[in-house]
Amino acid sequence: MKVPFLDLRTAYLELKDEIDAAVARVLDSGWYILGPEVEAFEADWAAYCGANYAVGVGNGLDALILALRALEVGPGDEVIVPSNTYIATWLAVTAVGASPVPVEPDPATHNIDPARIAAAITSATKVLLPVHLYGQPTDLDPILALARQYGLFVVEDAAQAHGASYKGKRIGAHGDVVCWSFYPGKNLGALGDGGAVTTDNDELADRIRILRNYGSRVKYVNDVRGSNSRLDPIHAAVLRVKLRHLDDWTKRRRSVASRYAEGLPGTRLILPHVPDWAEPAWHLYVVRSNQRDTLQRKLTKAGAGTLIHYPIPPHMQGAYGDTDFGPLAIAESLANTVLSLPMGPQLTTQEVEFIIECCINAEEI
Ligand SMILES: *Cc1c(COP(=O)(O)O)cnc(C)c1O
């Protein structure tokens, strides 16, 4: 047996008829930028997230950039970000000319440690930008409380958290703006790049809607210097199909996670910790091992695909080689020990049992 880390084709094949029909409908419509398909998906996605508004954009990175631009974050401003995240979170901050200020994660959850945030706040801080990493909701209440106390905005990076809940309420409108990616491998994935923001704030929604479309409300009238970052109707139509299956697919991810949690405790692997207020979306199932590289080699040899999310933290990337963020020991230690096992709604029971068996065998050395 061989189990790849991720197989996007099986996900497509499961919904092939519905997806093909949706794509054909857009091709037939003769309308290929914004329009009714995008508006319909925006309404569906806002409703699903429990938010007043959703705005479809070109990708997850642009969702973050446009959210920061709408909040008028720029040079001289500081944005508090997790030290342990995908680099897009940081790139959005530097793209608008602001400075990322990293805060270390709680090693148990891998998410930003709210207890460390206050010490990083200065008079230049404008935004708290937590990430729901791996689809595990971050502890939002203390973050929202700090934001109120210091007069800061909260922008959530929810690129991995479609369908996750925090204290019984879906991720989507806790902070001022919530940013989504529909990159094909995400829990709700398009057939190419796509993204969105959700918010309860009508002014922010309106600003982002204009910024994504050349700063224009009326064709050829440009009120602000916008950009071109629009969700394509073809992707919107596909996302509407997939959204109808998202809860079922999340349920199936949760049952894979439960099976791992039952089958792996015999090993020395450190398994994900789920706080009692969290309902994760299980974008990734990330374990930790002090012999991570050896373990990954053995699993590869046995036919079990794995990946590392992420091998190099943002502050150690060449992209930020010109800035000294100091040592960030927790992020660095996680980067050296994390390993993502196959996770997805299309994994079969036999495949999950095979992965568990491979992990048990690999640990025996
Ligand atoms: C995927 C991802 C992004 C960026 O999304 P794109 O659609 O690839 O631009 C941002 N943040 C996190 C945490 C992500 O996982």
Side-chain angles (χ1 to χ4, degrees):
M1 195 183 239
K2 226 177 158 69
V3 180
F5 176 73
L6 182 66
D7 177 8
L8 290 173
R9 192 163 175 273
T10 52
Y12 163 61
L13 291 177
E14 189 180 318
L15 305 178
K16 183 177 177 358
D17 291 348
E18 282 178 86
I19 290 175
D20 289 359
V23 170
R25 185 176 71 230
V26 178
L27 296 183
D28 252 355
S29 75
W31 195 291
Y32 308 125
I33 294 288
L34 294 177
E37 290 286 350
V38 173
E39 283 165 26
F41 172 69
E42 287 173 341
D44 291 353
W45 185 235
Y48 182 85
C49 292
N52 288 345
Y53 308 96
V55 182
V57 300
N59 55 66
L61 175 58
D62 280 354
L64 290 162
I65 292 174
L66 293 171
L68 294 174
R69 286 196 62 192
L71 293 168
E72 298 180 313
V73 177
D77 294 330
E78 292 178 358
V79 177
I80 291 184
V81 294
S83 58
N84 180 49
T85 181
Y86 180 55
I87 194 168
T89 319
W90 288 43
L91 288 176
V93 176
T94 44
V96 300
S99 304
V101 175
V103 167
E104 289 269 65
D106 174 346
T109 64
H110 299 208
N111 274 322
I112 196 165
D113 184 349
R116 294 171 182 265
I117 293 176
I121 294 173
T122 71
S123 56
T125 308
K126 197 149 177 189
V127 174
L128 305 179
L129 207 177
V131 180
H132 306 291
L133 200 65
Y134 313 147
Q136 305 278 346
T138 211
D139 193 3
L140 283 166
D141 279 348
I143 294 172
L144 295 166
L146 282 169
R148 273 192 301 273
Q149 186 185 339
Y150 290 92
L152 309 172
F153 296 111
V154 175
V155 174
E156 297 168 61
D157 181 340
Q160 304 187 355
H162 318 74
S165 290
Y166 175 69
K167 298 188 178 171
K169 182 176 184 285
R170 270 215 191 107
I171 297 300
H174 293 85
D176 295 282
V177 190
V178 183
C179 301
W180 304 93
S181 164
F182 304 122
Y183 178 82
K186 303 286 158 100
N187 289 25
L188 181 62
L191 301 176
D193 280 311
V197 301
T198 50
T199 179
D200 277 346
N201 183 316
D202 58 340
E203 234 173 88
L204 285 175
D206 189 54
R207 234 177 276 166
I208 293 166
R209 205 173 286 122
I210 293 164
L211 283 171
R212 75 168 169 184
N213 191 24
Y214 288 109
S216 170
R217 206 186 296 273
V218 176
K219 210 170 165 74
Y220 306 130
V221 179
N222 304 84
D223 303 321
V224 290
R225 288 178 216 150
S227 61
N228 176 355
S229 183
R230 305 174 288 218
L231 179 65
D232 288 317
I234 282 194
H235 296 314
V238 171
L239 290 167
R240 283 178 74 196
V241 169
K242 287 191 162 184
L243 180 53
R244 294 201 286 269
H245 300 271
L246 181 59
D247 281 343
D248 174 43
W249 286 18
T250 304
K251 219 183 277 166
R252 284 152 61 179
R253 286 175 183 274
R254 286 177 180 153
S255 82
V256 173
S258 306
R259 193 49 212 123
Y260 279 148
E262 286 161 16
L264 291 174
T267 67
R268 276 165 299 171
L269 298 176
I270 299 173
L271 303 183
H273 165 72
V274 181
D276 55 11
W277 42 255
E279 281 178 89
W282 296 109
H283 174 57
L284 296 170
Y285 191 90
V286 177
V287 300
R288 266 153 66 202
S289 163
N290 289 328
Q291 273 86 45
R292 192 266 316 276
D293 293 342
T294 315
L295 174 66
Q296 186 178 36
R297 261 196 305 278
K298 287 182 174 182
L299 290 176
T300 307
K301 227 170 122 197
T306 57
L307 283 179
I308 296 167
H309 299 92
Y310 296 93
I312 306 170
H315 72 282
M316 293 176 75
Q317 297 281 3
Y320 292 111
D322 59 355
T323 313
D324 182 11
F325 292 99
L328 294 162
I330 302 175
E332 289 165 30
S333 140
L334 289 177
N336 290 329
T337 53
V338 291
L339 188 68
S340 306
L341 302 182
M343 165 54 78
Q346 280 75 33
L347 278 177
T348 65
T349 311
Q350 293 92 312
E351 286 174 324
V352 176
E353 295 310 318
F354 172 75
I355 300 296
I356 292 172
E357 202 181 291
C358 288
C359 288
I360 293 169
N361 292 339
E363 282 266 300
E364 274 168 9
I365 313 221

